Each structure stands twice: as C-alpha cells, then as structure tokens.
C-alpha cells in the first residue's frame, strides 16, 4: 500500500513538472510580447522596452527563465502578475474561492440529477421512459456551454429577472453559472450510471437475492447500488477536471470572478506567470482528486487492495 501511494505521489510530481514545462514553452510560442502589452502607448520607446524586459527577466535564455520560475515556485512564490501588477498568489487567493463555490454546486447538481436520471433509465430498461431519459441526457451533452449560458441569461435574468445577470457570487448569482456547468455533466453521468446499474443488476448474487423473495427496493439499495458505486465514483472523480476546464467558459460568459476567467484574461494580456500558475493549479487539482478517488476504492470495497 505504501509503495503504491509513493508511486502515485511521484506520478503527480512528474505530471506537475511536465505540465509546467509544456505550458512554459507553449506560452513563449504565442505571438506577441508581454512587455509591449504592458507599455501600451509607450511601447515605441525602445530603451523603456529593453529596461522592462531586463527587469522581468525576459531577456534571459528560455532555460534560465524556466529554472528561475521553478526555483521561485518551490519557495511558494508564483511570481508577479504583469497585467494586474500584484503577486500571482494574491490573484489566486482572490479568485479561487469563487471557483470552488461554483464547482461544489455544479458537482452536487450533476451527481444528484445524473444518478436520478441514470437509475430511472436502468430500472425501466428498453421502455419508453428509458428512451426518453437517454434522449434528454444526449441533448444535454450536445448543448455547447457558452450558448446554454447565454440562453439562461436571456431567459432567467433578462426576460424573467429571477437571477443576477452577471458577476454575482451570492447563492442567487451562482445558480445560473452552476446550472450551465452542470447540465452537460448531468447527461454524461446519466448515461454512465445507467450502464453501471444495468451491469450490477445482471450480477448472479443480485439474481439470487431476488429469487429469495427480497423486495426490489432492498435488493436495489443493498446489492445493485452498492456494486454500481465504484464506477460511479470513478466518473465523478474524472468529472472534476471537466468542470474545472468548463469554468473557463462559464465564468467568462457570466463575467464571474474565478480562476477560469482569470486564465482567459491572463492569456489575452500575455501574463506568463499568472497563466502558468493557474494551469498548474488546475492540473494538480485534477491529479489530486483522482488520487483521492483511488484511495477510496478499498474503503468502499475491501476486496480491492493497492499493491
């Protein structure tokens, strides 16, 4: 068990290193100069451009820039934002709670309604209700989140002024962004839960329990749902990454604070330190979540062990 944990932790560290290097190099390939973006109308002063590039360390070789950034990162220093003129750590601290709030509500909605639709479809397999439920799930998966967000704003914030239009971080202002982020995941979860529940219902011990005369509800809760929980847990863990990437679009559409919107603004401003920090945080959150899910497997099913 300890060797497995050590192996997974090493894999997370290796992933973080690979992501940091890849993002660092890709950012330098994007056309444009952050110094020119920062100076604006003063970019015509070559002496000022050269001096600022030197102050930011952008005149150094790429490998030196990466080593310097990585060394500062190990000390807990994410660098200084070019666009916001303050430490990147302050930007992350200011925006991360709003994204966590959005993620928690979206994950709760997608898991709850995905489970409900998937179970309804599985119990009514090959019936009209199954077909209707899976059609709804497929439709939810197919709707682009940016279009859905604009449609929800138009319907429930403009035509029917029930919610805040943009920028809200209160519960009332979070419902529409969370719903936009969760609807696609609801469809995906419903289809996956349906398959997992149907597979569990076909197990021999479930058929035996039914033959013994146990009620359908008891068989379902004690045998079917318990055996279907592991694959469902897997997809919920993987969904964290999808929701994190979805915040980039949703927070931008709703003009809502968060690391997704911060990432978009930082890319447009050529803010290298902020972009590198946000992407690294997202990658680590995704890897850590899946590590936690793997550690929960033996807790839910003692037959599973990590070696």
């Amino acid at each position: 068990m300890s060797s497995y944990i050590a192996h997974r932790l090493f894999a997370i560290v290796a992933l973080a290193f690979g992501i940091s290097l890849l993002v660092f190099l890709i950012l330098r390939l994007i056309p444009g100069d952050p110094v020119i973006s920062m100076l604006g109308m003063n970019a015509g002063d070559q002496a000022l451009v050269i001096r600022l590039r030197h102050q930011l360390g952008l005149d150094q070789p790429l490998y030196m820039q990466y080593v310097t950034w990585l060394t500062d990162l190990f000390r807990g220093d994410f660098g200084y934002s070019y666009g916001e003129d303050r430490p990147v750590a302050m930007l992350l601290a200011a925006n991360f709670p709003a994204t966590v709030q959005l993620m928690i509500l979206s994950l709760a909605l997608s898991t709850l309604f995905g489970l409900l639709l998937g179970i309804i479809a599985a119990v009514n397999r090959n019936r009209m209700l199954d077909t209707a439920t899976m059609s709804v799930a497929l439709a939810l998966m197919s709707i682009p989140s940016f279009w859905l967000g604009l449609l929800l704003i138009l319907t429930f914030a403009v035509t029917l002024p029930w919610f805040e239009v943009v920028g809200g971080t209160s519960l009332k202002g979070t419902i529409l962004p969370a719903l936009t982020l969760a609807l696609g995941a609801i469809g995906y979860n419903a289809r996956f839960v349906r398959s997992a529940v149907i597979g569990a219902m076909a197990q021999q011990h479930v058929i035996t329990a039914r033959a013994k005369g146990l009620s359908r509800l008891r068989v379902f809760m004690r045998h079917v749902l318990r055996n279907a929980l592991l694959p469902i847990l897997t997809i919920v863990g993987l969904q964290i990454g999808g929701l994190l990437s979805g915040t980039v679009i949703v927070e931008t559409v709703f003009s809502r604070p968060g690391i997704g919107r911060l990432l978009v603004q930082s890319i447009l401003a050529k803010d290298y330190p902020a972009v590198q920090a946000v992407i690294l945080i997202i990658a680590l959150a995704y890897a850590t979540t899946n590590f936690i899910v793997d550690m929960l497997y033996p807790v839910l099913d003692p037959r599973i062990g990590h070696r």
Side-chain angles (χ1 to χ4, degrees):
M1 182 67 173
S2 58
S3 61
Y4 176 81
I5 294 176
H7 176 75
R8 287 300 305 272
L9 291 176
F10 176 78
I12 291 176
V13 173
L15 173 67
F17 174 77
I19 290 292
S20 67
L21 180 60
L22 186 63
V23 172
F24 180 88
L25 294 176
I26 289 177
L27 284 175
R28 271 62 182 181
L29 294 176
I30 298 177
D33 190 337
V35 173
I36 302 298
S37 300
M38 292 174 63
L39 292 177
M41 298 295 294
N42 297 320
D45 189 341
Q46 289 300 315
L48 185 59
V49 171
I50 293 173
R51 184 164 68 249
L52 185 55
R53 288 182 61 83
H54 178 71
Q55 290 176 356
L56 298 177
L58 296 176
D59 58 344
Q60 297 179 351
L62 284 181
Y63 75 90
M64 283 299 300
Q65 294 182 40
Y66 179 73
V67 169
T68 300
W69 176 71
L70 199 62
T71 303
D72 293 339
L73 189 64
F74 279 125
R75 296 201 300 262
D77 182 6
F78 288 96
Y80 205 81
S81 172
Y82 299 161
E84 297 291 334
D85 196 25
R86 55 177 172 159
V88 174
M90 292 181 61
L91 291 176
L92 293 175
N95 288 276
F96 200 71
T99 297
V100 171
Q101 177 195 39
L102 178 61
M103 286 277 300
I104 291 175
L105 185 55
S106 301
L107 188 62
L109 290 173
S110 63
T111 303
L112 176 62
F113 288 102
L115 277 171
L116 183 61
L117 290 178
I119 290 172
I120 291 174
V123 172
N124 297 276
R125 183 184 182 187
N126 296 330
R127 299 176 184 172
M128 284 293 296
L129 190 56
D130 178 22
T131 304
T133 304
M134 288 298 98
S135 298
V136 171
L138 182 60
L140 292 177
M141 292 171 59
S142 304
I143 299 176
S145 57
F146 69 88
W147 182 83
L148 179 60
L150 294 174
L151 182 63
L152 291 178
I153 290 175
L154 178 63
T155 305
F156 297 107
V158 178
T159 306
L160 301 173
W162 295 349
F163 301 98
E164 298 178 13
V165 179
V166 293
T169 55
S170 63
L171 179 59
K172 187 177 179 180
T174 307
I175 291 177
L176 287 185
L179 192 59
T180 303
L181 193 59
L183 281 177
I186 288 174
Y188 188 76
N189 285 350
R191 295 177 66 86
F192 194 88
V193 169
R194 177 185 180 274
S195 299
V197 171
I198 288 176
M201 290 173 65
Q203 296 293 321
Q204 187 62 45
H205 66 279
V206 175
I207 299 174
T208 303
R210 286 178 178 173
K212 290 181 178 179
L214 296 178
S215 65
R216 294 187 63 181
L217 180 61
R218 186 175 180 182
V219 171
F220 184 83
M221 297 300 296
R222 186 171 181 178
H223 299 286
V224 175
L225 192 58
R226 184 176 180 180
N227 283 276
L229 190 59
L230 284 179
I232 293 172
L233 179 64
T234 301
I235 201 62
V236 170
L238 293 173
Q239 195 179 85
I240 298 295
L243 293 177
L244 274 172
S245 61
T247 59
V248 175
I249 297 175
V250 172
E251 289 174 351
T252 302
V253 169
F254 285 89
S255 296
R256 191 177 190 277
I259 61 172
R261 187 183 178 203
L262 173 63
L263 178 61
V264 173
Q265 293 175 335
S266 300
I267 291 174
L268 294 176
K270 309 285 191 302
D271 193 345
Y272 294 164
V275 174
Q276 291 167 184
V278 171
I279 293 181
L280 184 60
I281 291 294
I282 291 175
L284 286 175
Y286 182 64
T288 303
T289 301
N290 283 277
F291 172 73
I292 293 173
V293 168
D294 283 350
M295 293 298 101
L296 288 176
Y297 280 171
V299 177
L300 296 174
D301 189 347
R303 295 172 299 177
I304 300 176
H306 296 307
R307 297 178 181 177

